[in-house]
Amino acid sequence: HQGSSIGVSIVKQDNVEAFVSAMNQCFFAVQVKAEQWNGFSDDEKRAFAQRMANLDEGAGLPLQLQQTSEILYTPTQLIEKLNDYCSLLNNDCTLLSLNAEDQVLLEEFVVGQEFSCGVVQDDDGTVIALPPTEIAKLDEEQTFDFKTKYKLNVTRKRIPVQTSLENNQKIQYNIALVFEKLGMNTVARIDGFLTPDGRVLLHDPNTLPGMSPTSLIFKQMAEIGLDVTHAITYLIRQSLRERIRTGKDTLHLRALLQDLDVRLAYKNTQTLPVETLDLQATDESLSATRKLYGKLSAEGKVKPMVVLHTETGERYQLPVNYLFKDSIEDLMALLAQPKHPLLVETIHRTRHITARIAGGFETEAVKLN
């Protein structure tokens, strides 16, 4: 019931203790041994209590001390109660989240390349899969949990998946098929694995993808020429279009859609003054430039143009998708290679969408004199 891998555990050892520990984690239950607690220093007790307060590390406050049915709301209360129960009474105990799970799903471990693929829908209902993103762990032993997803820089995002063109096309085909068969509309993000023998296994359909400025759906929409502002505009437009299909409040929704289309068409006839954003070849500059580009694009008063200054003195005018790379190293690598044929195909299929929403898309970096 959580999402973002909270409450998910992978059993890697063939023994009962590892299995029990994993099941407890999935049920948001923590067993505390008196011997273990009594061996902690004061600092270790505080660190333990703080971990228990976090859903991604512990069971999440408030907690119930199962043996006494007492509810503990703060880390301080937790320490005091464990001191009473484990230290004074020398009893083991179990801590259980008030929002503990009632059931746990057990699945086989899948070996393969992990990917996430956004999918959008055109005016006539045509389903279009975006370029899939491979989630590649820098350390193969690392579990791709909440912390590694959002707190640690332990993964690399590759667009498209580092495999053959045929396999990437197979991923897109299956993603679009599932989107259609499950009756989704407007947008989704579907995750899965590409196994070593070439099978595409899909396991996680998200009908409302993550919507932070660097979420995967925006990285993938940038590959077809839509920055965050353009992408959200597109999602609003398609949401109106799909709600019209339901036959409810039709005239009002049609009026909203028509008004939006008139505004988009007018905007695309205007020539905005260009504001150049100088990007230095550092991760800090990439992050700052991406943020400033998003701000200027959202305001709509100027057309931001990003110029990369390399360490060797070269300058490149960059299309929007370059800004969504995780690091300057990834951006520089992109400069040194031709555009992947899957990206060329997807850009071709979506060029009318990009033209309507953004007025067009410069697909290649341009070296400046």
Side-chain angles (χ1 to χ4, degrees):
H1 286 121
Q2 297 296 332
S4 292
S5 299
I6 291 176
V8 173
S9 182
I10 298 174
V11 181
K12 299 180 179 180
Q13 296 83 33
D14 186 12
N15 64 62
V16 173
E17 289 78 12
F19 178 76
V20 169
S21 175
M23 291 296 286
N24 281 335
Q25 181 179 335
C26 295
F27 278 117
F28 294 91
V30 178
Q31 293 180 331
V32 182
K33 300 288 187 183
E35 181 180 2
Q36 174 195 24
W37 180 257
N38 294 333
F40 282 165
S41 66
D42 288 344
D43 286 344
E44 288 172 329
K45 288 179 178 179
R46 282 192 290 269
F48 175 86
Q50 190 58 58
R51 286 198 305 275
M52 290 303 100
N54 299 329
L55 269 178
D56 58 310
E57 294 182 291
L61 291 169
L63 293 165
Q64 181 189 68
L65 181 60
Q66 216 171 4
Q67 282 73 10
T68 65
S69 298
E70 292 174 87
I71 308 300
L72 310 173
Y73 292 94
T74 68
T76 301
Q77 282 183 311
L78 177 59
I79 292 171
E80 291 172 351
K81 187 51 62 179
L82 290 179
N83 278 339
D84 291 342
Y85 198 79
C86 296
S87 299
L88 294 179
L89 301 178
N90 201 34
N91 287 329
D92 299 340
C93 67
T94 301
L95 302 170
L96 190 65
S97 169
L98 292 195
N99 297 304
E101 294 288 354
D102 185 56
Q103 301 177 75
V104 165
L105 174 67
L106 279 76
E107 300 176 293
E108 67 170 308
F109 184 79
V110 177
V111 175
Q113 291 169 276
E114 187 167 357
F115 65 81
S116 184
C117 187
V119 57
V120 295
Q121 196 171 23
D122 210 349
D123 261 19
D124 60 359
T126 301
V127 180
I128 304 173
L130 298 171
T133 302
E134 180 179 359
I135 315 297
K137 292 178 286 190
L138 300 180
D139 178 3
E140 287 302 319
E141 297 302 314
Q142 178 72 57
T143 299
F144 193 43
D145 56 14
F146 181 90
K147 185 179 292 186
T148 57
K149 283 180 178 180
Y150 301 111
K151 295 183 178 181
L152 301 176
N153 186 23
V154 297
T155 61
R156 298 190 72 166
K157 318 292 193 307
R158 299 179 182 138
I159 302 178
V161 177
Q162 194 167 297
T163 182
S164 65
L165 174 61
E166 292 74 20
N167 278 339
N168 273 292
Q169 291 169 330
K170 189 191 302 183
I171 290 170
Q172 285 187 319
Y173 171 80
N174 282 280
I175 292 288
L177 184 65
V178 165
F179 182 95
E180 191 171 13
K181 294 296 185 185
L182 292 183
M184 300 178 184
N185 58 49
T186 304
V187 65
R189 195 200 78 232
I190 302 175
D191 304 334
F193 292 95
L194 176 68
T195 66
D197 59 356
R199 289 177 299 143
V200 175
L201 303 179
L202 304 180
H203 64 84
D204 187 10
N206 298 270
T207 52
L208 186 62
M211 299 287 281
S212 72
T214 55
S215 290
L216 291 176
I217 191 70
F218 292 130
K219 288 178 182 289
Q220 293 166 8
M221 294 187 89
E223 294 293 342
I224 64 170
L226 301 179
D227 63 26
V228 173
T229 296
H230 292 139
I232 291 175
T233 302
Y234 173 77
L235 297 180
I236 291 171
R237 186 188 184 281
Q238 292 312 111
S239 295
L240 289 171
R241 178 66 257 174
E242 286 306 306
R243 276 150 185 75
I244 289 170
R245 293 186 206 279
T246 67
K248 306 227 176 11
D249 200 21
T250 309
L251 296 183
H252 176 228
L253 292 173
R254 279 181 181 166
L256 289 176
L257 180 60
Q258 183 179 15
D259 180 61
L260 178 55
D261 281 347
V262 168
R263 290 168 182 262
L264 285 171
Y266 174 76
K267 178 181 70 68
N268 289 335
T269 64
Q270 303 304 296
T271 302
L272 295 176
V274 173
E275 180 163 334
T276 301
L277 307 182
D278 291 316
L279 169 60
Q280 307 303 319
T282 67
D283 289 340
E284 293 76 17
S285 181
L286 176 59
S287 177
T289 304
R290 179 169 54 230
K291 186 179 297 185
L292 179 57
Y293 183 102
K295 177 177 181 292
L296 294 175
S297 176
E299 290 173 348
K301 297 175 183 177
V302 299
K303 180 180 179 180
M305 182 181 74
V306 177
V307 175
L308 169 68
H309 297 256
T310 70
E311 292 178 346
T312 56
E314 297 170 315
R315 295 186 305 136
Y316 293 87
Q317 182 180 328
L318 301 180
V320 63
N321 59 306
Y322 280 70
L323 284 180
F324 283 80
K325 299 307 165 187
D326 286 339
S327 67
I328 201 70
E329 180 185 354
D330 291 345
L331 189 157
M332 297 301 293
L334 196 61
L335 275 178
Q337 59 195 27
K339 189 170 287 291
H340 194 285
L342 186 87
L343 300 181
V344 175
E345 287 180 3
T346 309
I347 289 169
H348 181 74
R349 283 202 300 271
T350 57
R351 64 192 186 283
H352 59 291
I353 294 174
T354 306
R356 172 189 284 148
I357 303 297
F361 174 35
E362 296 296 334
T363 63
E364 302 289 347
V366 178
K367 189 173 183 180
L368 304 176
N369 293 329

